[in-house]
Amino acid sequence: MAREIVSDMDGLRRTHYCGEVALSDVGSQVVLMGWVNRKRDLGELVFIDLRDRTGLVQVVTESKSTPASFEVAQNVKSEYVLAVRGTVKKRAPGMENPDLKTGAIEVQADEIRILNTAKTPPFYIWDDAGADETLRLKYRYLDLRRAPLQRNLEIYHRTSMAVRNYLSSRGFWEIQTPMMTRSTPEGARDYLVPSRIDKGKFYALAQSPQLFKQLFMVAGIDRYFQIVKCFRDEDLRYDRQPEFTQIDIEMSFAEEEDVWGEVEGLVKYVWKEVLGVDIEPPFPRLTYQEAMERFGSDKPDTRFGMEIKDVTPVFSGSSFGVFRSAIDQGGTVRAIAVPGMAGASRQEIERLTERAKLHGAKGLITVAYLGGEVKSQIRKYLTDEEIAGLAQATGASEGDLVLIVASDFDTAVTVLGRLRLELASKLGMIPKDRYNFLWITAFPLLKINEETGRWEAAHHPFTSPFKDDLDKVRPDATDEEKGKIRARMYDLVMNGVELASGSIRIHRRDLQEKVFALLGMSQEEARRRFGFLLDAFEYGAPPHGGIAFGMDRMVMLLAGAENLREVIAFPKTASASCLMTEAPAEVEPERLAELGIILAKDVKRS
RNA sequence: GGAGGCGUGGUGUAGCUGGCCUAACAUACGUGCCUGUCACGCACGAGAGCGUGGGUUCGAAUCCCAUCGCCUCCGCCA
């Protein structure tokens, strides 16, 4: 590239953003700075679409009237950085471009300076992505030039500002907490940071500021929030990144309704500020138990019906083996009615059955109500009363297909819950532009870890149990009792996505110790790991509770984005690497030596 | 950790039941022409040996094995 065609700004000052030159500017001199989106060279006449984050404006130059700028324009190529000084002209009738915000005008260039040249980009900087995501991630700074991504980053910014404005107006203080902290063995895997000064010891990158924010309450901060990065070393999903951002909130002297009220106000404010959409709190509340019963999920999508029904009573006298044994073993028979699917082919039924098995069912029974007939692989086992009862219980009518799973409760509702989502999506039953917020409450305090067979905190070990269940908070509680302890925990769910999760915390040392003991933690262990918290509780800890939003996830929903990578500036891939910086990367042996780290021989090195 | 999908000029795709493929189309790119374009148009040109490594075969982009990368799902995510 000939460097001599590049000039300096030399005092030239931008007067307008490209997308903001308007009809009202006609006749005035403007100075624009931006990137060449496209050049259209018609010989003695050149058009350049100049782009910045606000949009495009057409710059025009011709050999006869503006020879100086015309000469420069001929050397211009895509993605060159230009400064353009010129006059805003109204376009002649019939020459406007209605697709462009600035389509009614154009800028006649008196002077064009090339501030920098550019290689041909590896992919088009157009609105639709087109290129493979691998390539786009490698050249993320070019991908971020695209309007849709810039729009998402702007939405992220506006969301941040709305959150800060609202919470500040409600008396919350934004205070930072350490990123480098102590590893907490529960929950997600930690990212570890070796200590140079104290070799052999490690910090962990914070999975959340949980303990710090509780200590703020002990400190009398009363109301705290933070927009904060959190780190969890777990496998990624379209809506999960290893480093992500939370809106972390905690308040003193608060019970459930206090937290929910603040959150509902925040959500209403953010949706209005960012999307101009009115959300009407209070949000419906559903217990965990009810959510599982009706939707087979603790984050139900309530934008459509097709709820799960208990049809155990219908089949209580059934002779059909699958129903019989499920019921006799204390299990249940559950069903959903899929509208208009009675005509499903044998192959479609087969596919559904496969899905059901994938989700953990032993099989799937279907009953089709079609043309006054009843079609089912277990037709001969069904009595007329059962057929009528099934239709009655599920609300199935002519043309519907009823899916039945007989199993233990969890499997039955989970399987049907997943099929419900898959089918609703496939059948186009999910209305767009709906924001169905709801609270899920009264979660179980503990859940059993399938791998270790041990009981663990469902949320985290600082969650307060229900008062009525405190009698079961004993180290010698039976499994049945442990499973029944309810937690003062709540999730904010929208359209089937968990947006926020929180709880009323334990604020007394004795109860906290009991819960640690319930989790099988010895006193010594509890003291070693959480001694500072237990100590703090002895110095006047106020009752408190809070919540944390998945900020990126929220922006993803606000932006209508498909995945988190569309709203995070520099995201990681599914294997947690950054294709642009090529992180993670090996480090110099000296660095490791300094940290007292020796790599095991068998670690994979490329 | 497991399953599936994808990987072909700069980009997006076609080819993939083996030979008509020293790979086609579009677009981008280069050169030239063009005064009202806005996915400008027209003409000409250059550009890949098919992710990587093995194997089968007379012959592989096409079949097999392994491996790498990306995406999605399950497990995992207090």
Side-chain angles (χ1 to χ4, degrees), chain A residues 302-594:
Chain A
T302 58
R303 286 174 297 174
F304 61 98
M306 205 155 73
E307 293 187 17
I308 300 167
K309 303 294 178 185
D310 185 2
V311 295
T312 316
V314 175
F315 297 108
S316 57
S318 176
S319 59
F320 178 54
V322 172
F323 292 165
R324 193 68 270 141
S325 66
I327 294 171
D328 289 347
Q329 286 167 32
T332 184
V333 186
R334 305 275 158 156
I336 57 172
V338 188
M341 223 191 149
S345 68
R346 190 191 203 92
Q347 204 174 29
E348 283 175 286
I349 304 272
E350 195 56 41
R351 206 158 33 227
L352 280 176
T353 307
E354 285 310 308
R355 300 296 304 168
K357 284 181 179 166
L358 187 75
H359 296 316
K362 290 218 177 63
L364 183 72
I365 309 289
T366 60
V367 177
Y369 294 84
L370 188 61
E373 298 280 298
V374 172
K375 280 173 40 182
S376 171
Q377 56 286 61
I378 60 160
R379 178 68 185 86
K380 62 180 173 187
Y381 296 103
L382 297 174
T383 65
D384 289 348
E385 292 75 53
E386 285 169 345
I387 289 167
L390 183 66
Q392 161 101 44
T394 59
S397 51
E398 168 61 24
D400 296 350
L401 179 71
V402 175
L403 310 183
I404 306 169
V405 176
S407 181
D408 61 282
F409 174 81
D410 281 342
T411 305
V413 296
T414 305
V415 169
L416 286 172
R418 293 191 176 195
L419 291 179
R420 173 181 175 267
L421 284 177
E422 290 173 12
L423 287 168
S425 165
K426 202 178 112 188
L427 298 173
M429 289 170 66
I430 305 177
K432 303 291 169 210
D433 300 325
R434 288 266 290 277
Y435 300 98
N436 279 20
F437 291 91
L438 70 155
W439 290 104
I440 306 298
T441 70
F443 280 79
L445 183 74
L446 307 172
K447 63 171 186 214
I448 206 149
N449 182 322
E450 301 287 350
E451 247 170 72
T452 61
R454 288 180 49 173
W455 288 90
E456 293 179 351
H459 184 48
H460 54 57
F462 319 110
T463 302
S464 190
F466 263 44
K467 208 173 175 180
D468 289 349
D469 296 336
L470 281 176
D471 59 308
K472 303 188 203 70
V473 182
R474 308 183 318 268
D476 63 340
T478 62
D479 277 4
E480 175 158 9
E481 285 177 311
K482 286 180 180 172
K484 280 193 178 149
I485 305 172
R486 288 163 299 168
R488 295 180 70 180
M489 174 191 162
Y490 35 81
D491 277 3
L492 179 65
V493 170
M494 190 201 84
N495 297 356
V497 178
E498 181 194 314
L499 249 195
S501 183
S503 63
I504 300 302
R505 328 293 184 191
I506 296 166
H507 64 281
R508 285 170 41 185
R509 178 168 184 144
D510 56 345
L511 181 56
Q512 186 65 72
E513 285 182 328
K514 276 187 195 164
V515 170
F516 283 153
L518 187 68
L519 292 165
M521 210 184 293
S522 70
Q523 280 202 2
E524 295 68 43
E525 192 183 357
R527 201 168 303 137
R528 193 176 70 244
R529 281 163 49 190
F530 301 112
F532 61 101
L533 182 76
L534 294 170
D535 287 348
F537 284 170
E538 290 191 302
Y539 290 96
H544 61 284
I547 196 162
F549 278 77
M551 171 100 184
D552 320 280
R553 222 176 253 188
M554 185 159 113
V555 174
M556 176 176 122
L557 296 170
L558 286 165
E562 299 270 306
N563 61 58
L564 243 35
R565 298 185 300 279
E566 291 177 29
V567 299
I568 294 175
F570 296 103
K572 301 217 168 22
T573 69
S575 47
S577 68
C578 170
L579 297 179
M580 187 180 71
T581 62
E582 296 185 311
E586 292 171 13
V587 296
E588 299 297 316
E590 300 81 67
R591 291 279 87 78
L592 291 179
E594 199 168 47

Side-chain angles (χ1 to χ4, degrees), chain A residues 16 57 78 101 181 201 276 318 330 431 458 483 485 509:
Chain A
H16 291 69
V57 66
S78 285
K101 192 164 56 167
T181 181
K201 292 191 176 171
S318 176
I485 305 172
R509 178 168 184 144

Side-chain angles (χ1 to χ4, degrees), chain A residues 60-266:
Chain A
V60 62
T61 178
E62 55 175 343
S63 59
K64 224 182 282 171
S65 53
T66 53
S69 68
F70 175 77
E71 197 134 318
V72 179
Q74 288 187 301
N75 293 317
V76 157
K77 290 173 187 163
S78 285
E79 299 308 315
Y80 275 27
V81 185
L82 305 184
V84 174
R85 189 174 53 75
T87 312
V88 181
K89 303 272 188 184
K90 188 178 189 325
R91 294 207 200 175
M95 293 199 290
E96 300 95 341
N97 183 350
D99 298 332
L100 223 54
K101 192 164 56 167
T102 60
I105 54 97
E106 62 189 359
V107 174
Q108 188 179 52
D110 297 313
E111 182 185 3
I112 295 177
R113 290 189 202 171
I114 296 175
L115 301 180
N116 213 344
T117 58
K119 288 166 72 174
T120 301
F123 51 87
Y124 310 120
I125 317 292
W126 296 346
D127 281 8
D128 56 333
D132 187 78
E133 195 166 6
T134 314
L135 192 70
R136 287 162 42 214
L137 286 170
K138 182 174 175 193
Y139 296 95
R140 185 65 170 177
Y141 45 87
L142 294 181
D143 204 23
L144 289 175
R145 275 186 196 165
R146 293 168 45 232
L149 282 184
Q150 295 208 340
R151 174 185 156 268
N152 289 352
L153 293 184
E154 187 190 3
I155 289 175
Y156 205 117
H157 162 71
R158 284 171 37 217
T159 305
S160 297
M161 293 311 288
V163 167
R164 290 200 160 101
N165 287 338
Y166 182 82
L167 290 175
S168 178
S169 79
R170 299 292 305 166
F172 291 86
W173 292 356
E174 181 166 23
I175 312 174
Q176 299 192 342
T177 48
M179 297 266 212
M180 292 198 297
T181 181
R182 233 193 116 95
S183 174
T184 51
E186 292 92 2
R189 214 173 281 118
D190 285 315
Y191 278 99
L192 296 176
V193 180
S195 165
R196 173 184 56 83
I197 294 170
D198 205 348
K199 291 183 186 41
K201 292 191 176 171
F202 295 82
Y203 303 92
L205 296 181
Q207 290 186 26
S208 84
Q210 183 60 37
L211 292 171
F212 295 107
K213 71 174 173 177
Q214 289 191 242
L215 293 170
F216 281 149
M217 299 304 104
V218 179
I221 300 301
D222 197 82
R223 292 183 156 212
Y224 140 95
F225 85 100
Q226 189 182 187
I227 294 179
V228 60
K229 275 284 178 82
C230 302
F231 306 86
R232 294 179 191 174
D233 186 4
E234 295 293 345
D235 287 343
L236 290 80
R237 287 288 188 280
Y238 79 99
D239 62 349
R240 261 163 41 193
Q241 284 271 318
E243 62 178 299
F244 60 100
T245 306
Q246 281 191 346
I247 305 166
D248 197 42
I249 297 173
E250 197 75 5
M251 47 202 280
S252 292
F253 309 108
E255 300 201 298
E256 285 83 346
E257 291 291 343
D258 302 302
V259 177
W260 299 347
E262 293 298 338
V263 167
E264 286 170 349
L266 172 64

